Amino acid sequence: MSQKSVTGSVVASHDVSVPVYVVDDDESVRDSLAFMLDGYDIKVTTYAGGPAFLDNAEIMLPGCVILDSRMPELRGQDVQAILTQCHSPLSIIFLTGHGDVSMAVDAFKSGAVDFFQKPVDGEKLVLAITLAAEKSVVRSEQLSALLSYQSLTERE
Amino acid sequence: MSSVLIQTVIAALLLVMTQVHASNTNDSAINKNNDSNRSSKSAELVDTKQAITTVDVGVLATRGVFEAKQRWQPTLLWLQSQIPNSEFRLHPYTLAEMETAVKQQSVDVVVTNPGQAVRLGRQYPLSWLATLNSKLGDGTHVIGSALVVRADSHYQHLVDVSGDQIAAVASNAFGGYLTMQLAVQNKGINPTAFFADVSFLGFPIDAIIYQLRDGYVDAAVVPVCQLESMLEEGLIQPGVFRVLDDISPDNFACALSTELYPNWSIAKTSAISTKLAKKITRALLALPSDHAASIAAYSTGWTPPISQLSVDQLYRDLDMHPLQRPWWQEAAVWIKKNQQWAWVVFLFVLLLSAYHLMLEYRFSRSERKLKATLNRLKEKNAMLEHAQRVAIVGELGSSLAHEINQPLAAILNYSQGGLLRINKGADASAVVPALEKIQQQVKRADGIVQRLRTLINKRAVAKSSCDMQVLLTDTLELLEYDFQQKSIIVSRTCLGNVVVLDADVVGLQQVLLNVLNNAADACLMREVSTTINAEICIASQYSDDRLILTITDNGIGLTATSAELKNAFFTTKKDGLGLGLAICRDVIEAHHGYFSLAPADPVGCRVSIHLPLPL
């Protein structure tokens, strides 16, 4: 995995206005991701598993979640399914230790914004996070418009 | 010319019929009609105006023509003197000549030994007139054989001679062979073995004795009294010869090794009349015992014909009786008589054959089926094994990737984060925790690798006695189906004395499997256009201290450098792991051996495995 892009690039601070979550069962991955993204001025909230994330995160608000696919309690795909079910505007970036093509295709079909294999280049991840955050904001607006539209028709 | 001759013959015959055989010579006249020579001879006699009956007498000349004349001429003269107007003419014959003469009716009267008498009498119309009476023994039973050896030889009994060089008269000579053959058989000796080296010298019999004397043969079968006659005539010296197993009776002057059979007899053929035969018989019986003719014939005159049953029995015992039919004729007669049983047997044999054929057919069919099933089984087995291998490797690779990726991901993240901070001009203290965490993650990755290594090495290497040749056979058996599918020919050679190794059998088999699979893959990777057969040669060479196993293929050969080949995970195969050669090298080195790869000539690759042998 190439690292020269990091060392050679001009470090710019990325303004990500929405919350970023990291869900991974491996403490070192969570911690190191947080450390690395902190270098890009991206503050993240980390969770050790799917249930903790779903219970505590503001999942109905725009945001970005980096999901590990292989976790003991809930798999990344399961978390994605739950988020889709409750019309969460959160953008999902998969970060997997052992991905293959079919897994990536499934993830994209289910609405994931990006799909990475560990270890991932920080800059690419940050770029993906930035994009995901923008998408999430747009999607949130669409969803709220849809919801208000739906509620209107109900009353009538 | 011929018509004149025929007219003469007819005229002569008429004369003969009217004057000589006026009463009943019809049959003899017809017979003589066949022999124009004799008839014209009769015609000559007619010309002399004297009706003289000519009687042709055939005698067996056992000791040559001269001796035969000496022996029988006086008897013929006696007959001539007793029968008016007759002329008796002597014809000395050998056994074969005698038979021909009787067959062709060219003799009127025969004088022969009992053996031939019975043989001829059972095949041709002969009427026995009288039997020669001898001064020996009971007078009528005086024929037999003597087995003669040189007096100075070591032979004591008949059985001693068995298989040695024996001379005899002829295979059908009575006193000169057959009686001896039966005597040998009756003693429980196999005649074929006894007469394994027999030579038949024919008449005259004297020659046989001379051959024995001169040492050309070890023993001789001669008619009884032959030796004594020659002694008397001064032809041989006394004390030179011995007769083995002499069983001659007290009143019998000649030495004898066999039973005695009836003496020579005289018989008439159908060529002369009964009347003439009667006259001859009367004259013979009237011959005084002390007459010169009797003495010349070594006899005491003639007696009425005696039974020849014992001769018949001899022929039967020797399985060569003239009336005896060959076995297949006997079988044909039996089958004709017992047709129903013959049919039963025939049907039974037919049924058995059909049943046998049916069994054979079913057997071969089920054999084919079994073979096909076995092949299918092997194919499935190979597929299953392959699938299992793929699954194991896949699972292992996937787990390993996940396990190793976690710390690697963490290290990358920490290091990228750290670099970002340094580039932003952050204090070194901000980076220190990241570096410490990187160290922790490196240790974690190392731990994973160590765990994996112990997992792989966990299999206890059990060394046991291992015959490389047996192992090779077993391994080739595992690959047999695969190689057959790929049409790869495997040849094996082994030089030196096979020594049993003390080795890790499973490991070595893994090595052989890897190397052979590699060789097979290399053969398959060749260009399709190559016409030579894919071939793998396995050569084992045992020397004093080591076994050199060379496995050569004529496949694609080596495309990588030797440095590349030493690395694990280096592969030129599409779906290879690059572990095979590394495993081979590890296993062989664990046996203090040496594993090497080299290009083969002209194409292919040669794998050499050197293994030290136990001292």
Side-chain angles (χ1 to χ4, degrees):
Chain A
M1 200 55 57
S2 162
Q3 296 188 352
K4 69 175 193 283
S5 57
V6 176
T7 52
S9 70
V10 178
V11 178
S13 110
H14 294 260
D15 252 348
V16 179
S17 50
V18 293
V20 176
Y21 309 102
V22 170
V23 185
D24 197 312
D25 61 319
D26 193 314
E27 201 257 328
S28 68
V29 173
R30 287 198 308 271
D31 189 53
S32 63
L33 265 180
F35 179 76
M36 191 257 286
L37 291 175
D38 187 47
Y40 287 101
D41 294 327
I42 298 171
K43 304 292 174 212
V44 299
T45 318
T46 60
Y47 298 97
F53 161 70
L54 291 173
D55 290 347
N56 300 315
E58 296 280 3
I59 60 167
M60 294 314 288
L61 290 178
C64 172
V65 57
I66 300 165
L67 265 179
D68 183 20
S69 71
R70 193 201 288 214
M71 288 184 292
E73 287 160 298
L74 267 179
R75 293 188 314 133
Q77 285 85 342
D78 299 333
V79 175
Q80 185 187 23
I82 293 169
L83 289 178
T84 314
Q85 213 176 2
C86 56
H87 303 291
S88 163
L90 282 173
S91 288
I92 299 167
I93 295 170
F94 271 104
L95 187 57
T96 174
H98 60 298
D100 54 34
V101 175
S102 68
M103 197 191 273
V105 169
D106 281 348
F108 281 121
K109 272 187 183 168
S110 308
V113 174
D114 219 327
F115 187 96
F116 290 104
Q117 254 187 285
K118 288 176 195 170
V120 64
D121 180 60
E123 216 154 311
K124 285 179 186 165
L125 184 63
V126 168
L127 206 63
I129 289 172
T130 317
L131 270 173
E134 282 166 17
K135 273 190 182 173
S136 180
V137 172
V138 174
R139 185 165 161 72
S140 171
E141 280 164 8
Q142 284 174 344
L143 276 171
S144 58
L146 188 72
L147 278 174
S148 50
Y149 174 71
Q150 277 173 346
S151 59
L152 270 175
T153 48
E154 255 174 53
R155 263 181 220 168
E156 282 182 349
Chain B
M1 171 72 190
S2 61
S3 61
V4 174
L5 187 65
I6 290 166
Q7 274 176 2
T8 325
V9 166
I10 290 170
L13 278 176
L14 284 172
L15 267 169
V16 167
M17 277 173 76
T18 48
Q19 293 184 9
V20 183
H21 309 287
S23 54
N24 60 346
T25 49
N26 275 352
D27 54 341
S28 73
I30 290 159
N31 282 322
K32 289 194 181 199
N33 207 359
N34 298 333
D35 194 338
S36 60
N37 196 24
R38 293 178 67 210
S39 299
S40 57
K41 168 192 73 195
S42 304
E44 277 170 38
L45 296 175
V46 172
D47 284 346
T48 61
K49 304 290 179 196
Q50 277 198 310
I52 289 178
T53 312
T54 309
V55 180
D56 290 293
V57 182
V59 299
L60 192 65
T62 52
R63 293 186 61 194
V65 173
F66 178 73
E67 201 272 348
K69 282 184 175 164
Q70 274 199 326
R71 186 175 179 185
W72 298 111
Q73 199 61 51
T75 307
L76 265 59
L77 288 172
W78 164 261
L79 287 172
Q80 220 161 282
S81 68
Q82 294 293 301
I83 304 165
N85 298 328
S86 68
E87 188 197 357
F88 284 80
R89 303 210 304 192
L90 184 71
H91 301 280
Y93 288 137
T94 64
L95 287 166
E97 286 166 352
M98 179 73 91
E99 186 163 351
T100 313
V102 171
K103 195 175 171 185
Q104 294 177 347
Q105 303 270 352
S106 59
V107 287
D108 303 311
V109 172
V110 294
V111 179
T112 186
N113 71 20
Q116 193 172 36
V118 167
R119 287 202 79 81
L120 293 177
R122 301 296 175 266
Q123 295 174 79
Y124 307 104
L126 292 180
S127 307
W128 298 101
L129 306 178
T131 301
L132 197 64
N133 202 28
S134 173
K135 60 183 178 235
L136 290 169
D138 66 355
T140 51
H141 288 81
V142 290
I143 300 296
S145 308
L147 189 69
V148 186
V149 295
R150 287 185 297 280
D152 58 1
S153 67
H154 65 276
Y155 302 117
Q156 292 304 321
H157 295 287
L158 222 64
V159 68
D160 301 338
V161 186
S162 182
D164 289 342
Q165 286 186 314
I166 302 171
V169 179
S171 62
N172 59 349
F174 190 74
Y177 183 66
L178 293 177
T179 48
M180 182 57 70
Q181 194 186 346
L182 185 65
V184 165
Q185 190 171 309
N186 287 344
K187 276 184 186 285
I189 308 166
N190 180 6
T192 317
F194 186 89
F195 289 112
D197 191 9
V198 69
S199 42
F200 296 112
L201 305 177
F203 295 146
I205 300 166
D206 300 23
I208 295 175
I209 295 294
Y210 297 143
Q211 292 260 314
L212 176 64
R213 182 192 62 193
D214 298 341
Y216 293 110
V217 291
D218 298 317
V221 181
V222 293
V224 72
C225 290
Q226 170 74 22
L227 206 58
E228 286 77 4
S229 300
M230 288 176 74
L231 206 59
E232 202 176 308
E233 292 160 22
L235 296 173
I236 51 173
Q237 298 298 311
V240 177
F241 300 102
R242 277 188 289 131
V243 171
L244 295 182
D245 288 350
D246 184 5
I247 52 163
S248 56
D250 290 341
N251 57 350
F252 204 83
C254 300
L256 176 74
S257 307
T258 68
E259 296 287 311
L260 282 170
Y261 294 89
N263 203 351
W264 287 40
S265 296
I266 184 165
K268 82 167 195 70
T269 66
S270 49
I272 61 164
S273 67
T274 318
K275 198 176 176 184
L276 182 59
K278 210 166 156 185
K279 283 181 190 165
I280 293 171
T281 309
R282 203 179 293 140
L284 283 174
L285 293 178
L287 178 69
S289 62
D290 52 353
H291 192 273
S294 301
I295 293 163
Y298 316 121
S299 71
T300 55
W302 297 79
T303 63
I306 65 155
S307 164
Q308 288 170 330
L309 181 67
S310 58
V311 182
D312 274 313
Q313 277 169 345
L314 174 136
Y315 279 126
R316 199 195 54 216
D317 290 347
L318 291 179
D319 204 19
M320 53 190 292
H321 197 277
L323 291 184
Q324 189 176 324
R325 277 176 293 201
W327 65 268
W328 48 271
Q329 276 186 4
E330 295 279 356
V333 169
W334 186 90
I335 286 169
K336 264 184 198 161
K337 272 191 203 157
N338 306 280
Q339 274 201 7
Q340 70 279 28
W341 288 112
W343 277 112
V344 167
V345 169
F346 177 71
L347 282 176
F348 186 64
V349 168
L350 205 69
L351 271 174
L352 274 184
S353 309
Y355 183 64
H356 174 80
L357 281 175
M358 192 186 77
L359 282 184
E360 189 95 330
Y361 171 72
R362 286 172 67 167
F363 176 75
S364 72
R365 202 177 51 180
S366 54
E367 195 188 18
R368 273 202 305 279
K369 265 191 198 165
L370 269 177
K371 271 187 182 162
T373 313
L374 189 69
N375 271 347
R376 275 207 304 280
L377 203 65
K378 277 186 179 173
E379 193 179 359
K380 295 248 166 72
N381 200 26
M383 279 161 65
L384 186 70
E385 260 177 34
H386 182 71
Q388 252 171 355
R389 264 206 306 275
V390 169
I392 287 171
V393 169
E395 176 59 29
L396 185 71
S398 166
S399 299
L400 197 63
H402 185 77
E403 286 282 307
I404 292 281
N405 269 350
Q406 299 290 71
L408 287 183
I411 288 167
L412 183 63
N413 291 339
Y414 283 129
S415 59
Q416 281 189 342
L419 280 171
L420 277 173
R421 281 169 179 75
I422 288 167
N423 286 344
K424 279 181 182 170
D427 195 49
S429 61
V431 187
V432 171
L435 291 177
E436 279 169 355
K437 280 172 181 166
I438 287 174
Q439 278 185 356
Q440 278 173 16
Q441 292 307 312
V442 169
K443 277 180 192 155
R444 181 180 163 194
D446 184 50
I448 292 165
V449 171
Q450 290 301 334
R451 230 169 48 234
L452 186 73
R453 192 169 284 165
T454 42
L455 184 78
I456 289 168
N457 287 340
K458 203 153 63 177
R459 186 176 62 81
V461 175
K463 289 200 171 182
S464 57
S465 66
C466 153
D467 184 343
M468 184 56 91
Q469 300 311 309
V470 176
L471 193 62
L472 266 172
T473 308
D474 289 351
T475 310
L476 286 172
E477 230 163 71
L478 286 177
L479 296 169
E480 189 191 1
Y481 179 75
D482 192 38
F483 281 13
Q484 212 176 305
Q485 292 295 301
K486 296 172 178 166
S487 47
I488 291 168
I489 303 162
V490 178
S491 62
R492 267 177 79 179
T493 55
C494 181
L495 290 174
N497 297 326
V498 173
V499 178
V500 174
L501 303 165
D502 185 41
D504 167 19
V505 180
V506 179
L508 283 184
Q509 182 155 40
Q510 188 63 51
V511 170
L512 292 177
L513 273 171
N514 282 350
V515 171
L516 288 169
N517 270 328
N518 267 358
D521 289 344
C523 287
L524 284 193
M525 281 158 80
R526 298 184 311 176
E527 281 169 33
V528 189
S529 62
T530 36
T531 47
I532 35 170
N533 290 323
E535 223 177 315
I536 297 174
C537 302
I538 305 169
S540 317
Q541 195 185 339
Y542 290 85
S543 59
D544 288 342
D545 61 338
R546 59 178 49 220
L547 160 63
I548 302 174
L549 190 67
T550 322
I551 297 166
T552 313
D553 66 69
N554 58 359
I556 190 165
L558 294 170
T559 51
T561 63
S562 59
E564 283 174 321
L565 287 172
K566 278 184 182 148
N567 290 332
F569 301 109
F570 174 81
T571 184
T572 55
K573 294 185 195 172
K574 252 186 257 169
D575 52 356
L577 283 174
L579 283 172
L581 289 181
I583 290 171
C584 290
R585 193 165 280 121
D586 278 356
V587 170
I588 298 301
E589 278 168 8
H591 286 88
H592 309 290
Y594 173 68
F595 181 94
S596 70
L597 283 168
D601 192 48
V603 285
C605 170
R606 173 176 292 124
V607 173
S608 302
I609 297 169
H610 293 237
L611 283 171
L613 294 174
L615 294 172

